[in-house]
Amino acid sequence: MSGSPSAPPADELAAVTLTDSVAGVVEAEFSQRVLIRSIIRRPDGGADLAGQRVRVGGWVKKGRKQRAIAFLEVNDGSCEANLQVLVDAELVTTLGEVTVGQIVATGTCVHVEGTLKVPPEGTVQRIELNVEKVLDLGTVNAAKYPLPKTKLTLEFIRDYVHLRPRTNAISAIARIRNALAYATHTFFQKHGFLYVHTPIITTSDCEGAGEMFQVTTLINDAEKLEKELTKIPADLEAARILAKDKGEIVTQLKSAKASDTEISAAVSELKIAKENLKKLEEKSKLKPGIPQKDGKIDYGQDFFARQAFLTVSGQLQVETYASALSSVYTFGPTFRAEHSHTSRHLAEFWMVEPEIAFADIQDDMNCAEAFVKFLCQWLLDNCRDDMEFMVEKFDKSAIDRLEMVAATGFVRLSYTDAVAILEEASKETNFENKVEWGIDLASEHERYLTEVKYKKPVIVYNYPKGIKAFYMKVNTDNKTVAAMDVLVPKVGELIGGSQREERYEVIRDRILEMGLPLEPYEWYLDLRRFGTVKHSGFGLGFERMILFATGIDNIRDVIPFPRYPGRADL
């Protein structure tokens, strides 16, 4: 897709519905404040709003006391810039036990009302707020607050995942992530795709790699049973005595020729006592530990009566809807139990996965290229301020990279041609991984193609079938499959996709070749048995897209709550 995408004004990304509070400035409809962005991100920096009375709220980034005035740099998350807020020391004394030192402390939350004014000449700010009323105040213990106003590394603030959104870097990344999510839905909705929610709990392994988190209640059930079994002897003896006593009562009532009503009630109590005794006797025969059958774990006693996992991809499930609704996509969290500590791997990550009926590999590549260009252009149009922050602090080429991708056609070459290029390059470049036909391209190979050879995105297609998943369409040469990867500078592989194998016999044989059992995929084979259709799709790693856009080095810094081996905070 070429050209700039149609997008709402940038302020709509921060607040979808706004209502006028006073002329020239807006107040959020569902919050008692004016967005700081709507003040200082005006063409004149907000100077034309001088004299307007507003309410703002945010957290103090920096504060200082000068004479009888507290100068606060306040940020509310709507943009990366701060609004200077001036609070008279006498006003602070009206707040009870609060001191000026507390109000200027980094991390303090302020909700204030006042009048906007133009600061004296020579100051950086174009507008500032002179506070006339403090509505709310959330103080901090400056001695214990873990995020002082000094410069902090991304690695350091990972240990404070609950507070790191208050830092400039993480808040900017959050806005960029939000914009990319918005753009994702905009792109696919604009092109007639339906959004499908695929399950997080699955019984199928899409990748066939086996690196999946298992979902089971067997461990909890075993621990619970073990505790119950320790009580069984006492409970069982008590149940036997109770059943005996109830039986004797019935005998006595019958001997005394009691009324039918009395006897019937006693018999009912006896029946309940015997049933309880029977249950306890059956439970006493159970063995502690995970239930087994034929020497293996008996998943028939698990919650879902079979093995279940956290999904590694929503692709297989979303294909069911593509086989009925034609163009669909899913966008959600996926999981992989891979013990990797690299800067490119997470245990929980998000994937954008469209699936298109009546589409071949060419259509798939066209869609993938259009989507990536759309995302890049969207950031240029709607997140320029945050992208400029990224350029200043992390990657000077970030905006240039977005502009290049948005305006440049992607190179397309077959895997065979890519290997030939890399083999030639290896004569002068010392690759750590050997290049030969049949290998899965390493990150260094992908980045060579995109950063050295072509200096632009590259789509490699028609990979050897031995290194790709069972569901990819086998080409006529019977050696390759109609798979494609979109490679971009900075991160390498951004998208992986393929034309899916729609022939029943072929895909059945591929499943068996991969050493996978047929039973869990019978439903997937039904899509080929009943009304099979040519279709294609791909998956874009959402966090990798953010890495590519921002220039951030570690994937743990572009997801709100990173999960990786040894860490699952909050």
Side-chain angles (χ1 to χ4, degrees):
M1 180 176 177
S2 60
S4 301
S6 175
D11 281 341
E12 290 188 22
L13 294 176
V16 176
T17 306
L18 301 172
T19 182
D20 290 335
S21 72
V22 293
V25 70
V26 294
E27 184 164 291
E29 184 175 357
F30 306 116
S31 181
Q32 301 169 22
R33 66 189 176 104
V34 169
L35 300 179
I36 288 177
R37 180 188 184 97
S38 66
I39 297 173
I40 59 180
R41 282 307 175 204
R42 298 166 74 91
D44 64 350
D48 65 336
L49 296 175
Q52 299 292 330
R53 187 178 180 85
V54 299
R55 293 181 293 183
V56 300
W59 289 262
V60 175
K61 292 287 188 177
K62 295 179 182 178
R64 60 186 172 87
K65 180 184 176 183
Q66 185 173 326
R67 298 188 181 90
I69 301 293
F71 290 82
L72 315 176
E73 290 188 29
V74 176
N75 188 282
D76 67 355
S78 61
C79 66
E80 87 294 345
N82 306 323
L83 174 67
Q84 180 158 281
V85 173
L86 282 62
V87 184
D88 193 290
E90 290 187 9
L91 183 59
V92 177
T93 62
T94 67
L95 303 177
E97 299 180 358
V98 178
T99 65
V100 174
Q102 287 177 303
I103 203 170
V104 300
T106 297
T108 297
C109 181
V110 296
H111 186 203
V112 295
E113 183 177 323
T115 302
L116 294 168
K117 68 173 187 177
V118 175
E121 289 187 17
T123 57
V124 176
Q125 296 82 12
R126 303 289 298 278
I127 195 73
E128 60 188 17
L129 180 66
N130 188 30
V131 174
E132 296 159 13
K133 186 177 181 180
V134 177
L135 304 173
D136 290 296
L137 189 68
T139 60
V140 302
N141 184 331
K144 295 183 178 180
Y145 187 59
L147 303 180
K149 59 186 177 181
T150 54
K151 186 176 180 180
L152 304 170
T153 65
L154 292 175
E155 183 178 12
F156 173 81
I157 61 177
R158 273 180 228 140
D159 290 332
Y160 302 96
V161 70
H162 58 302
L163 294 174
R164 70 175 187 167
R166 298 187 186 186
T167 64
N168 294 335
I170 299 301
S171 59
I173 292 168
R175 287 186 293 270
I176 290 171
R177 185 183 179 100
N178 170 71
L180 287 171
Y182 192 171
T184 292
H185 289 295
T186 301
F187 175 83
F188 288 112
Q189 294 295 324
K190 178 179 179 181
H191 289 285
F193 285 68
L194 294 180
Y195 180 34
V196 176
H197 295 152
T198 51
I200 289 176
I201 298 175
T202 180
T203 55
S204 303
D205 182 357
C206 177
E207 301 297 330
E211 297 170 333
M212 303 177 75
F213 287 101
Q214 190 165 340
V215 178
T216 180
T217 59
L218 290 178
I219 297 173
N220 289 340
D221 291 344
E223 291 175 346
K224 182 180 178 182
L225 176 62
E226 189 172 353
K227 291 179 181 179
E228 291 176 349
L229 287 176
T230 61
K231 301 177 183 178
I232 286 290
D235 291 345
L236 193 57
E237 182 61 26
R240 285 172 179 155
I241 294 172
L242 180 62
K244 181 181 178 182
D245 292 345
K246 295 296 183 182
E248 291 176 350
I249 291 173
V250 171
T251 301
Q252 292 171 2
L253 288 173
K254 287 181 178 180
S255 298
K257 296 183 179 181
S259 68
D260 291 343
T261 301
E262 288 179 299
I263 294 173
S264 179
V267 169
S268 294
E269 290 182 4
L270 174 60
K271 184 178 179 180
I272 292 172
K274 285 183 175 180
E275 289 176 349
N276 185 48
L277 175 59
K278 183 179 180 181
K279 289 179 181 177
L280 286 171
E281 287 175 337
E282 290 176 351
K283 182 170 283 190
S284 69
K285 297 175 184 177
L286 295 176
K287 296 180 179 179
I290 304 296
Q292 299 212 350
K293 184 178 181 180
D294 300 328
K296 297 180 180 179
I297 295 175
D298 183 7
Y299 288 105
Q301 296 188 44
D302 208 347
F303 187 90
F304 296 107
R306 64 189 300 179
Q307 273 190 291
F309 309 91
L310 294 181
T311 183
V312 296
S313 170
Q315 177 211 313
L316 299 188
Q317 288 84 359
V318 86
E319 281 188 57
T320 66
Y321 275 74
S323 297
L325 304 178
S326 297
S327 294
V328 296
Y329 71 105
T330 185
F331 179 15
T334 54
F335 309 84
R336 182 159 293 178
E338 183 177 0
H339 284 275
S340 174
H341 291 271
T342 75
S343 62
R344 290 292 184 268
H345 289 88
L346 289 168
E348 178 183 324
F349 50 97
W350 284 61
M351 293 290 292
V352 180
E353 298 176 289
E355 202 70 29
I356 320 164
F358 310 102
D360 61 17
I361 187 66
Q362 295 298 327
D363 300 309
D364 204 33
M365 290 190 285
N366 292 341
C367 182
E369 179 172 344
F371 179 41
V372 173
K373 287 184 175 182
F374 186 91
L375 294 180
C376 292
Q377 191 62 53
W378 187 277
L379 290 181
L380 293 169
D381 291 344
N382 296 287
C383 279
R384 177 67 68 163
D385 295 338
D386 287 316
M387 287 307 306
E388 288 176 350
F389 174 83
M390 291 296 151
V391 167
E392 178 186 354
K393 301 295 183 180
F394 296 102
D395 186 350
K396 297 188 182 301
S397 63
I399 289 178
D400 291 340
R401 191 165 55 248
L402 291 178
E403 290 175 337
M404 179 272 291
V405 173
T408 304
F410 294 7
V411 173
R412 299 187 187 187
L413 71 159
S414 70
Y415 169 89
T416 299
D417 290 341
V419 168
I421 291 170
L422 292 168
E423 285 178 330
E424 184 64 27
S426 64
K427 296 176 182 178
E428 299 179 357
T429 303
N430 293 321
F431 292 123
E432 291 184 8
N433 299 276
K434 184 179 179 181
V435 179
E436 60 183 358
W437 201 96
I439 66 161
D440 199 358
L441 299 183
S443 178
E444 61 177 336
H445 303 144
E446 296 167 345
R447 295 187 65 173
Y448 175 85
L449 293 172
T450 58
E451 298 174 12
V452 179
K453 176 65 176 178
Y454 294 106
K455 295 182 173 58
K456 63 175 70 174
V458 175
I459 302 180
V460 178
Y461 60 91
N462 287 349
Y463 280 80
K465 72 175 185 178
I467 61 172
K468 290 296 182 180
F470 69 87
Y471 52 76
M472 298 183 177
K473 185 177 179 67
V474 178
N475 290 325
T476 54
D477 61 12
N478 203 36
K479 295 193 304 180
T480 62
V481 289
M484 66 90 180
D485 288 339
V486 178
L487 315 178
V488 296
K490 186 72 180 178
V491 301
E493 181 186 340
L494 178 63
I495 285 176
S498 71
Q499 182 175 341
R500 315 311 188 189
E501 182 57 76
E502 80 273 16
R503 296 166 294 181
Y504 169 75
E505 293 82 4
V506 177
I507 195 168
R508 180 199 60 200
D509 292 346
R510 286 283 288 152
I511 292 174
L512 295 173
E513 282 177 20
M514 301 285 287
L516 298 171
L518 284 176
E519 190 275 331
Y521 300 99
E522 284 296 337
W523 65 269
Y524 190 66
L525 292 172
D526 276 349
L527 301 179
R528 277 71 180 172
R529 291 187 184 104
F530 311 123
T532 189
V533 62
K534 175 176 64 179
H535 61 291
S536 300
F538 61 81
L540 174 140
F542 196 61
E543 284 73 31
R544 288 199 171 198
M545 179 64 207
I546 303 171
L547 289 177
F548 165 73
T550 61
I552 296 294
D553 289 325
N554 199 309
I555 199 168
R556 299 171 185 177
D557 300 319
V558 298
I559 191 169
F561 305 100
R563 272 83 173 97
Y564 49 95
R567 295 298 292 267
D569 298 338
L570 278 63

